[in-house]
Amino acid sequence: MAMHRRHTGTPPDHRPAAAPAARPPTAATPGSAEHPDPPATAPTDPPDPHDTALTEALLAASGGYPVIPLTRNKLPALRSPHREHPEVPPCRGECGRLGHGVHDASTDPLSIRRMFAAAPWSTAYGIACGRPPHHLIGVDLDTKNGADGLTALRFLAEQHDVPIPPTVTVLTPSGGRHLWFTGPPIPPVPNSAGRLAPGIDIRGTGGYLVGPGSVTTHGRYAHAPHTPRRPVPLPGPLLDLLTSPPPPAHREPTPGVPPQHAAALIRFVRTSPDGQRNARLFWAACRAHEAGLGQELTARLAEAARATGLSAHEVHTTIASAARATPLHRR
């Protein structure tokens, strides 16, 4: 029997055409009504130095460091309320008003905000030394006016056979650095300039250190990278040097006998590692001239430097530079 195809109403060769495929979206046309330009990003203003100093000061205070606001010249930002009528003995804040320098230093956030609000011109902050709980001792290694505090500290470390442990280190705008150490509450460590060695200043009880994040006329103070964030105790031999009575202002060496540190200067040069040979020779030659032993020690310093691998020309040039760098009145 013949099969009859069922009529569906649509010839098999005339099926309805498929709907046209959707056209892919075209790229947005900048500035068009459908695709407006994204809003322009406003330029970021540099952080306000005053706000930054306050923020950093509060952070330091949260770690137990008493702080005060400072000016761009690194001086206490608040003037003394007794400047017109100085008190005897001097007031150290007993009057309850602000303006007593490092004696105003506090770890209380409300007190710190009050001080910074009273000194909107402050762009830096100071950290009081010698105060609990850390009894901070600041070792300021200077690099100005021919000083080399870092080399001087290395010399002291070798002279007393004591290593300098890694501790909090703050880089200063002038190229120097501040090392933070803790100390005992008694005896107090006094402030001093050049007492340990030329280029080394000490910030102790009654002094302060410029805190990291501060902005001064010379630039910004900042934590040295890859250094600890908590201070370690100052090595005992160096602490003894800082708390012992200072040497007499004018002490004449025994005739014909060089000062005791002469041998240490020679050893300091002879043990110079690569990268420090010229610097150590220059520093030691300057110290020899200052002690009046420039001529006596020149040959021994030169011999020690040659033993490290310096050429005769380098040795002669470095020692001559040290002689020129040492003022005549200090030779």
Side-chain angles (χ1 to χ4, degrees):
M1 178 183 293
M3 298 294 295
H4 295 280
R5 181 179 296 172
R6 186 178 179 184
H7 180 67
T8 60
T10 303
D13 295 334
H14 297 84
R15 294 175 183 174
R23 297 176 62 186
T26 58
T29 303
S32 66
E34 295 182 359
H35 305 283
D37 289 331
T41 303
T44 303
D45 293 331
D48 180 73
H50 176 82
D51 294 342
T52 299
L54 172 58
T55 300
E56 294 289 345
L58 290 170
L59 181 62
S62 69
Y65 300 101
V67 298
I68 56 171
L70 302 178
T71 67
R72 285 184 177 271
N73 293 323
K74 303 183 291 186
L75 298 174
L78 297 172
R79 300 180 65 185
S80 170
H82 311 292
R83 58 186 179 275
E84 301 296 337
H85 304 284
E87 294 190 354
V88 180
C91 177
R92 295 188 172 182
E94 295 85 357
C95 65
R97 291 178 287 178
L98 297 176
H100 297 85
V102 72
H103 302 294
D104 288 343
S106 175
T107 57
D108 176 57
L110 291 179
S111 298
I112 296 168
R113 292 183 181 277
R114 177 188 172 207
M115 286 189 286
F116 274 83
W121 51 84
S122 62
T123 61
Y125 67 101
I127 297 178
C129 296
R131 299 267 294 269
H134 302 290
H135 302 284
L136 197 64
I137 301 170
V139 179
D140 181 359
L141 305 179
D142 205 352
T143 58
K144 299 189 295 290
N145 303 320
D148 189 347
L150 183 57
T151 300
L153 185 62
R154 288 169 176 160
F155 171 72
L156 282 174
E158 292 197 11
Q159 185 181 20
H160 295 276
D161 194 24
V162 53
I164 304 299
T167 190
V168 177
T169 303
V170 177
L171 303 179
T172 72
S174 63
R177 60 188 64 191
H178 294 165
L179 306 183
W180 296 12
F181 294 98
T182 60
I186 296 176
V189 174
N191 296 290
S192 62
R195 175 178 172 179
L196 283 183
I200 301 180
D201 295 340
I202 301 298
R203 302 289 181 263
T205 302
Y208 59 85
L209 290 163
V210 180
S214 295
V215 176
T216 68
T217 54
H218 297 290
R220 183 181 297 273
Y221 287 70
H223 276 294
H226 313 301
T227 56
R229 289 296 184 265
R230 295 178 64 86
V232 300
L234 184 69
L238 297 184
L239 181 63
D240 292 340
L241 291 176
L242 295 178
T243 55
S244 60
H250 301 285
R251 182 177 58 185
E252 295 296 333
T254 304
V257 179
Q260 184 177 5
H261 70 273
L265 287 175
I266 302 300
R267 184 173 64 253
F268 186 62
V269 172
R270 187 177 295 276
T271 57
S272 300
D274 289 344
Q276 296 181 24
R277 295 176 299 180
N278 272 309
R280 288 197 177 199
L281 175 60
F282 178 83
W283 188 87
C286 287
R287 304 292 80 78
H289 281 296
E290 291 174 351
L293 297 169
Q295 293 183 352
E296 290 84 347
L297 290 183
T298 292
R300 296 174 62 190
L301 289 173
E303 179 185 1
R306 289 292 303 277
T308 67
L310 288 180
S311 67
H313 176 71
E314 289 176 305
V315 170
H316 173 76
T317 301
T318 301
I319 291 179
S321 296
R324 291 193 299 269
T326 308
L328 290 175
H329 70 275
R330 296 173 64 182
R331 297 185 191 178

